[in-house]
Amino acid sequence: MRVLIVNTSEKTGGAAVAANRLMEALKNNGVKAKMLVRDKETEQLTVSGLPQSWRLQWHFLWERLVIWMHLHLRRAHLFEVDIANCGTDITKLPEFQEADVIHLHWINQGMLSLKDIRKILQQKPVVWTMHDLWPATAICHYVRGCERFHEECSHCRLLPGAGQHDLSNRVWQRKKQMLSGQRVTYVACSQWLAGEAQKSALTKGQRVVSIPNPIDTHLFRPQDKQKAKMALGLPQDKRIILFVSQRVTDPRKGMDYFVEAISVLVSQHPEMKEQVGIAILGGHAEDVASRLALPVWPLGYVSDAQRIVQVYNAADCFVLPSLEDNLPNTLMEAMACGVPCVGFQVGGIPEMIDHKQNGYVAQFQQADDLSKGIRYVLAEADYEALSRHCLQKVARCWSQQSVANKYMEVYEQALRPALR
């Protein structure tokens, strides 16, 4: 079986990381898997880039320009919206021609247009992994409580002066036309996202299943904590709370709640100010350091996988207070390194953290409870048991073999003529 995984980026972003891990998992389990990307960043032979031309950059710029015009020339929400009005026809490429199944991942920002996707659907069986809700909505990736996609998108909260026939409604109609008479197998990375996707009028009549992302446990695994702290310049006499985000100031990642939770923790347990520190991995870490009531070590943005593993292993507790999230790679990575995690009861996070077994699930948007979770992991629970249960959860649910086997079943069903 030959599978072509299609994603905008080769390495940048959570979807790219997940797509790469899936490709490796499939190859390690007998599937001939390749990737096709717009932004090729390495010399890896099983990853092909789109033929380079000025059109690739123009597709991205043109889509942003159209969105910007509909936002009345405002930058707010400019990168929360995708309309897939332009892209590249990949059906003539040899990678497409030789594939048995086309596996779409995150294909926005000028990679594929809705017209391009329609053309793919007409020629090959398609599996589409949803890293967010965009395939099941008109233009947004995260609905933030909006339910219009259950029937038909319009009056979009992201558009100024939105109405019945706004940009979201026009893109909705184009997506309906794209899917008309075609079959797609949607794969959500969490049961939560699968449930949300099944509510969409766009997915009616289509198959929606839930399969988590895989992780390479040969790479992400426990190491000596004290050595990891020493290598990163972190204090060996303090317990380290870790916060990770590609951009730590992204409101969706919940930094405001993290700041409040740390303040509560210190006010209720002042002795922790001498015992605990915070490491922040991601861009703009310096911008938030002064807001936190504990000593902070900004680690900046790190792309080297070995160093990222070192960062996780230096941590004693990983906190992810996301306000909306699917199946975060960062939680999976931390748990694979034996680090107990704390997060809100939202999205796919409660599927990953088993409350008071491998971490703590706090009530949504409750900084006080988030603080209790951090305290529980660092000072109240049997830490070794939490860590052990993390590793057991990873091996049981997210191993390469387990995930690859589930996807192979999906591919085989997509190839059956009866399902076409």
Side-chain angles (χ1 to χ4, degrees):
M1 183 187 301
R2 297 177 183 269
V3 175
L4 180 64
I5 294 171
V6 183
N7 196 73
T8 299
S9 171
E10 180 182 0
K11 290 288 186 181
T12 303
V17 170
N20 263 281
R21 289 176 181 171
L22 177 61
M23 178 179 67
E24 294 304 319
L26 292 170
K27 289 193 298 184
N28 291 339
N29 286 272
V31 176
K32 295 178 180 178
K34 290 184 177 181
M35 273 184 74
L36 177 67
V37 300
R38 184 194 67 189
D39 304 330
K40 183 167 169 60
E41 301 167 57
T42 73
E43 299 300 318
Q44 190 169 350
L45 295 177
T46 53
V47 179
S48 299
L50 292 179
Q52 292 299 304
S53 77
W54 60 270
R55 290 184 179 87
L56 295 183
Q57 187 65 20
W58 173 245
H59 291 161
F60 169 78
L61 294 173
W62 176 245
E63 182 184 33
R64 289 309 109 189
L65 179 60
V66 172
I67 293 169
W68 188 51
M69 297 293 287
H70 281 87
L71 292 174
H72 296 178
L73 310 186
R74 299 170 186 169
R75 287 184 57 84
H77 310 310
L78 182 58
F79 288 95
E80 295 178 51
V81 170
D82 279 294
I83 59 176
N85 62 335
C86 52
T88 300
D89 178 4
I90 67 170
T91 61
K92 299 294 192 295
L93 298 178
E95 293 87 354
F96 179 91
Q97 296 288 339
E98 68 184 17
D100 300 306
V101 176
I102 305 302
H103 190 159
L104 304 181
H105 281 253
W106 202 88
I107 46 73
N108 298 113
Q109 297 190 356
M111 175 71 184
L112 298 178
S113 69
L114 300 182
K115 183 179 177 182
D116 296 327
I117 297 172
R118 171 78 178 180
K119 198 168 182 180
I120 292 168
L121 289 168
Q122 290 172 335
Q123 297 185 44
K124 300 271 188 176
V126 171
V127 173
W128 194 343
T129 290
M130 303 174 65
H131 296 277
D132 52 48
L133 261 177
W134 186 84
T137 70
I139 64 176
C140 72
H141 295 266
Y142 295 94
V143 296
R144 306 287 171 89
C146 174
E147 296 182 350
R148 291 188 180 276
F149 73 101
H150 295 182
E151 300 295 334
E152 180 178 281
C153 286
S154 65
H155 299 87
C156 182
R157 65 180 176 83
L158 298 173
L159 300 173
Q164 180 61 44
H165 301 293
D166 61 13
L167 178 65
S168 72
N169 186 258
R170 294 200 294 275
V171 175
W172 177 273
Q173 301 305 330
R174 291 173 199 151
K175 283 191 173 181
K176 277 182 64 177
Q177 183 179 8
M178 173 189 80
L179 293 168
S180 178
Q182 304 300 321
R183 288 290 181 186
V184 182
T185 301
Y186 292 101
V187 178
C189 299
S190 67
Q191 295 172 20
W192 164 78
L193 188 63
E196 290 297 301
Q198 287 167 341
K199 298 174 185 175
S200 172
L202 287 175
T203 63
K204 285 182 179 175
Q206 308 289 1
R207 185 171 177 234
V208 181
V209 299
S210 174
I211 303 176
N213 297 324
I215 189 165
D216 183 357
T217 52
H218 296 290
L219 175 62
F220 289 92
R221 58 185 178 82
Q223 297 177 356
D224 186 280
K225 201 168 289 294
Q226 292 304 108
K227 287 182 179 178
K229 288 179 180 179
M230 184 185 301
L232 294 166
L234 297 173
Q236 297 182 61
D237 61 342
K238 289 184 185 289
R239 308 204 77 189
I240 298 296
I241 300 168
L242 177 63
F243 183 100
V244 176
S245 176
Q246 187 170 352
R247 181 170 60 89
V248 302
T249 53
D250 181 353
R252 185 173 62 85
K253 293 299 182 180
M255 175 56 76
D256 289 343
Y257 291 93
F258 182 61
V259 169
E260 186 179 349
I262 296 300
S263 294
V264 171
L265 183 70
V266 171
S267 66
Q268 293 180 351
H269 305 281
E271 73 281 0
M272 297 196 81
K273 192 154 190 175
E274 300 302 320
Q275 301 169 356
V276 180
I278 297 171
I280 301 178
L281 179 63
H284 303 278
E286 297 84 358
D287 298 346
V288 299
S290 62
R291 298 174 56 197
L292 289 153
L294 287 172
V296 177
W297 282 264
L299 301 177
Y301 179 80
V302 176
S303 58
D304 178 69
Q306 296 290 347
R307 191 161 179 83
I308 291 172
V309 172
Q310 211 169 43
V311 171
Y312 284 118
N313 274 283
D316 298 280
C317 176
F318 177 69
V319 181
L320 182 65
S322 290
L323 305 183
E324 192 169 10
D325 230 324
N326 180 17
L327 197 83
N329 287 324
T330 51
L331 269 184
M332 194 182 299
E333 291 163 357
M335 292 174 69
C337 294
V339 181
C341 300
V342 180
F344 284 136
Q345 189 170 3
V346 67
I349 290 173
E351 299 171 34
M352 306 178 77
I353 303 175
D354 300 315
H355 187 55
K356 292 191 173 181
Q357 291 185 42
N358 54 35
Y360 190 99
V361 181
Q363 297 175 46
F364 184 54
Q365 292 184 318
Q366 297 297 312
D368 286 359
D369 202 25
L370 193 69
S371 173
K372 288 178 183 176
I374 298 170
R375 172 73 181 178
Y376 175 80
V377 168
L378 292 179
E380 297 173 1
D382 180 340
Y383 190 86
E384 294 303 320
L386 290 180
S387 181
R388 184 171 63 253
H389 288 145
C390 283
L391 299 176
Q392 291 170 353
K393 179 71 176 273
V394 171
R396 184 172 69 252
C397 299
W398 308 318
S399 70
Q400 285 192 344
Q401 184 173 358
S402 171
V403 174
N405 287 341
K406 290 175 181 177
Y407 265 112
M408 285 188 281
E409 290 179 13
V410 168
Y411 297 148
E412 287 168 2
Q413 288 186 328
L415 283 164
R416 291 174 190 166
L419 294 181
R420 301 284 296 155

